[in-house]
């Protein structure tokens, strides 16, 4: 387009060389075309400058958006990937912009196509920036929610740990009380131990019963009386009485006892009755018979069979507060 003035000058010189009969109308047409050409050039240059200005403004805005975006993407891996993609797009757009400046003549000729391409790039970038902003807002909302959930869970965990510690202290105190009360009976025939958060009082058959009998001997009754006295002072302790036998079958089943299972149940019931008679609330006591099916030794010798013939009184502190915490945790997790 810079060659248009020279062409116009040549046209004017050629016109001056023509005979005087050249019509003035042709000269006016030529002059009008020159004026239109110059006007078109001026319009094109103005549009180019406007496009460059808009590109510069868009680049500045995108640079600012990039700074704003960088502060928001620290906590999100997906956001980081999106940011890197946006940086690549920005580099591509900057390269296009630099090429447009360095090749202004060619850019002027192709300005329409380049402008459309840049406009599409900008539109795509704006759309992706909008998507990135939406993702960032969602990520921030998710992070805030997770932070609140974590805080609530930590509070519930601290509460649960406190309840567990209190339960452990209660079990330790219960074991100490029972051991102290039964000090005169402890030995091979009576043992007090703690297992799985419970206190086990294991009494041998020799301490409690004669062979095949369901009536507790006087010495065993005295031990149970001492235990009942302790349990009266422990209203938050549940009591399970489990009867156990060896694997020797009944030689002559009679009456209500047909086998070892009957024997273990009746013995457990008798001990439960003595504990409630000694002052333990009946609703706290459960009697059950395990027969020969939960041995603590193999039934391959008289000594081991004697170990298996036992009654275990299992003392479990009530865990109402602990269960409430667990239930609240379960309910919160379901939400």
């Amino acid at each position: 387009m810079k060659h248009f003035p020279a062409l116009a000058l040549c046209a004017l010189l050629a016109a001056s060389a023509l005979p005087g009969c050249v019509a003035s109308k042709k000269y006016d047409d030529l002059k009008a075309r020159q004026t239109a050409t110059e006007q078109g050039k001026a319009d094109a240059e103005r549009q180019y400058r406007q496009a460059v200005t808009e590109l510069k403004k868009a680049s500045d805005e995108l640079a600012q958006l990039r700074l704003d975006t960088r502060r928001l993407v620290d906590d999100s891996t997906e956001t980081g990937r999106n940011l890197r993609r946006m940086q690549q797009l920005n580099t591509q757009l900057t390269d296009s912009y630099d090429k447009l400046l360095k090749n202004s003549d060619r850019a002027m000729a192709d300005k329409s196509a380049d402008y459309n391409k840049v406009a599409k790039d900008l539109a795509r970038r704006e759309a992706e920036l909008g998507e990135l902003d939406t993702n960032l807002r969602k990520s921030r909302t998710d992070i805030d929610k997770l932070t609140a959930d974590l805080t609530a869970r930590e509070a519930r965990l601290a509460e649960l740990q406190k309840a567990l510690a209190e339960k452990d202290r209660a079990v330790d105190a219960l074991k100490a009380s029972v051991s102290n009360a039964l000090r005169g009976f402890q030995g091979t025939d009576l043992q007090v131990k703690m297992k799985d958060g419970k206190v086990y009082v294991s009494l041998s058959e020799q301490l409690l019963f004669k062979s095949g009998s369901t009536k507790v001997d006087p010495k065993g009754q005295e031990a149970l009386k001492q235990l009942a006295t302790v349990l009266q002072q422990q209203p938050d302790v549940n009591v399970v009485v489990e009867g156990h036998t060896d694997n020797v079958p009944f030689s002559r089943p009679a009456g209500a006892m047909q086998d070892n299972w009957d024997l273990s149940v009746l013995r457990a019931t008798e001990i439960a009755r003595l504990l409630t008679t000694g002052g333990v609330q009946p609703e706290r006591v459960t009697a059950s018979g395990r027969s020969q099916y939960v041995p603590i030794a193999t039934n391959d010798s008289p000594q081991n069979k004697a170990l298996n013939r036992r009654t275990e009184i299992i003392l479990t502190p009530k865990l109402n507060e602990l269960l409430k915490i667990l239930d609240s945790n379960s309910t919160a997790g379901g939400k």
Side-chain angles (χ1 to χ4, degrees), residues 34-310:
Q34 179 185 358
T35 301
T37 300
E38 292 176 351
Q39 182 62 40
K41 176 187 175 184
D43 291 343
E45 290 177 345
R46 185 177 65 258
Q47 292 175 4
Y48 170 72
R49 287 192 298 273
Q50 183 179 355
V52 169
T53 300
E54 291 176 355
L55 284 174
K56 178 64 169 61
K57 181 180 178 182
S59 297
D60 292 342
E61 291 176 353
L62 289 173
Q64 183 60 44
L65 283 174
R66 183 176 58 189
L67 292 176
D68 293 340
T69 300
R70 187 177 297 118
R71 290 193 294 269
L72 298 174
V73 297
D74 291 340
D75 299 328
S76 172
T77 301
E78 182 63 25
T79 300
R81 287 197 292 267
N82 289 336
L83 180 59
R84 288 191 292 274
R85 183 175 63 182
M86 296 309 301
Q87 289 172 338
Q88 292 173 355
L89 289 174
N90 184 64
T91 300
Q92 294 172 2
L93 188 59
T94 301
D95 291 342
S96 298
Y97 174 72
D98 290 340
K99 290 178 182 178
L100 187 62
L101 290 179
K102 292 177 181 179
N103 302 283
S104 59
D105 290 340
R106 182 171 57 84
M108 284 297 297
D110 300 331
K111 73 174 184 62
S112 179
D114 288 343
Y115 181 81
N116 289 337
K117 181 179 180 300
V118 170
K120 289 179 181 179
D121 288 341
L122 285 173
R124 184 176 68 252
R125 187 172 184 187
E126 288 175 355
E128 292 180 353
L129 280 173
E131 182 181 355
L132 177 60
D133 183 65
T134 300
N135 290 338
L136 283 173
R137 292 177 185 274
K138 183 177 183 300
S139 296
R140 178 57 58 86
T141 300
D142 292 343
I143 290 172
D144 291 343
K145 183 177 182 300
L146 288 174
T147 301
D149 289 346
L150 179 60
T151 301
R153 287 177 183 272
E154 288 175 346
R156 287 194 294 270
L157 178 60
E159 190 178 358
L160 179 61
Q161 289 173 337
K162 179 180 178 182
L164 285 172
E166 291 176 354
K167 187 268 295 183
D168 290 340
R169 285 194 294 270
V171 173
D172 289 338
L174 176 63
K175 180 178 180 295
S177 298
V178 171
S179 296
N180 186 58
L182 300 177
R183 190 187 307 276
F185 302 94
Q186 293 190 51
T188 57
D189 292 333
L190 189 151
Q191 296 179 349
V192 180
K193 57 186 177 180
M194 190 164 61
K195 183 176 68 173
D196 299 330
K198 304 174 184 178
V199 176
Y200 284 72
V201 181
S202 182
L203 304 101
S204 70
E205 178 189 57
Q206 183 176 351
L207 176 64
L208 297 175
F209 302 101
K210 291 183 174 59
S211 179
S213 173
T214 61
K215 297 300 179 183
V216 179
D217 290 341
K219 186 177 181 180
Q221 291 183 22
E222 181 61 27
L224 294 172
K225 181 179 179 181
Q226 296 291 334
L227 179 59
T229 300
V230 174
L231 294 178
Q232 278 183 292
Q233 303 169 3
Q234 302 284 342
D236 291 330
V237 175
N238 290 324
V239 182
V240 175
V241 183
E242 286 186 352
H244 298 267
T245 69
D246 57 22
N247 65 345
V248 178
F250 271 38
S251 57
R252 292 190 302 275
M257 283 195 300
Q258 298 297 312
D259 53 24
N260 283 330
W261 224 327
D262 287 336
L263 177 62
S264 66
V265 171
L266 291 173
R267 283 180 170 180
T269 303
E270 179 65 16
I271 291 175
R273 186 176 292 110
L274 288 173
L275 289 175
T276 57
T277 301
V280 181
Q281 297 91 331
E283 61 270 17
R284 294 167 49 197
V285 183
T286 301
S288 63
R290 306 301 297 273
S291 186
Q292 66 198 40
Y293 301 110
V294 190
I296 57 175
T298 55
N299 287 290
D300 55 3
S301 68
Q303 293 80 5
N304 285 348
K305 289 179 181 180
L307 291 175
N308 290 329
R309 295 191 300 272
R310 69 198 190 280

Side-chain angles (χ1 to χ4, degrees), residues 22-46:
V22 175
S24 62
K25 183 177 184 301
K26 293 182 179 180
Y27 174 80
D28 292 338
D29 290 342
L30 182 59
K31 185 67 175 179
R33 283 197 297 272
Q34 179 185 358
T35 301
T37 300
E38 292 176 351
Q39 182 62 40
K41 176 187 175 184
D43 291 343
E45 290 177 345
R46 185 177 65 258

